[in-house]
């Protein structure tokens, strides 16, 4: 199965699953262009292929993600103002690494640090 993301102003609005049979070219090879044409004919709009394994476009597209054409990547919404984009993974990264012990933590933007979660 192939997955395609519908874009409006480069924001993912919908993700659908398409049968591999519907993305085959004349030589029987899977083709993103054929899949895009299939999705456009079926539902209209602008489409890009996405994948769970991250082999294309860095991340699996989710509703609300942005497609960055220059990076050819789907990027999730920035969770906090202090976080920066890891260009290799196209993922947001806290200015302080997540603790490596067995505890659970939540990000505190006011102190730009990880706070232990007490249950």
């Amino acid at each position: 199965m192939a997955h395609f993301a519908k874009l409006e102003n480069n924001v993912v609005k919908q993700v659908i699953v398409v049968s591999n049979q519907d993305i085959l070219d004349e030589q029987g090879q899977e083709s993103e262009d054929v899949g895009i044409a299939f999705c456009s004919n079926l539902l209209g709009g602008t489409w890009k292929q996405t994948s769970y394994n991250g082999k294309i476009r860095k991340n699996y597209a989710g509703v609300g993600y942005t497609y960055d054409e220059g990076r050819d990547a789907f990027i999730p919404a920035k969770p906090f103002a202090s976080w920066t984009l890891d260009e290799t993974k196209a993922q947001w990264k806290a200015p302080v690494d997540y603790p490596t012990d067995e505890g659970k933590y939540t990000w505190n933007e006011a102190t730009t640090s990880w706070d232990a979660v007490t249950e």
Side-chain angles (χ1 to χ4, degrees):
M1 298 309 234
H3 299 84
F4 286 82
K6 185 176 189 179
L7 305 176
E8 290 180 18
N9 297 318
N10 286 333
V11 175
V12 177
K13 297 297 182 181
Q14 179 181 16
V15 180
I16 64 170
V17 179
V18 176
S19 169
N20 289 343
Q21 293 300 317
D22 292 320
I23 65 168
L24 299 179
D25 63 16
E26 293 89 21
Q27 290 78 38
Q29 300 296 313
E30 291 184 8
S31 165
E32 179 178 13
D33 289 338
V34 172
I36 288 170
F38 175 82
C39 294
S40 294
N41 290 335
L42 184 66
L43 299 168
T46 302
W47 296 84
K48 289 284 182 186
Q49 190 169 6
T50 186
S51 71
Y52 278 114
N53 62 20
K55 287 187 178 181
I56 59 171
R57 305 205 166 87
K58 310 278 188 192
N59 300 298
Y60 182 78
V63 172
Y65 279 39
T66 300
Y67 173 68
D68 185 306
E69 191 170 338
R71 293 179 176 96
D72 192 27
F74 289 108
I75 302 173
K78 187 174 185 177
F80 299 99
S82 65
W83 289 32
T84 57
L85 189 65
D86 176 331
E87 292 290 340
T88 304
K89 298 178 183 177
Q91 289 284 327
W92 297 103
K93 185 173 176 1
V96 177
D97 288 339
Y98 191 85
T100 57
D101 63 16
E102 298 296 317
K104 294 181 183 177
Y105 297 86
T106 187
W107 181 252
N108 183 330
E109 183 66 7
T111 62
T112 60
S113 63
W114 293 101
D115 290 345
V117 174
T118 55
E119 298 177 52

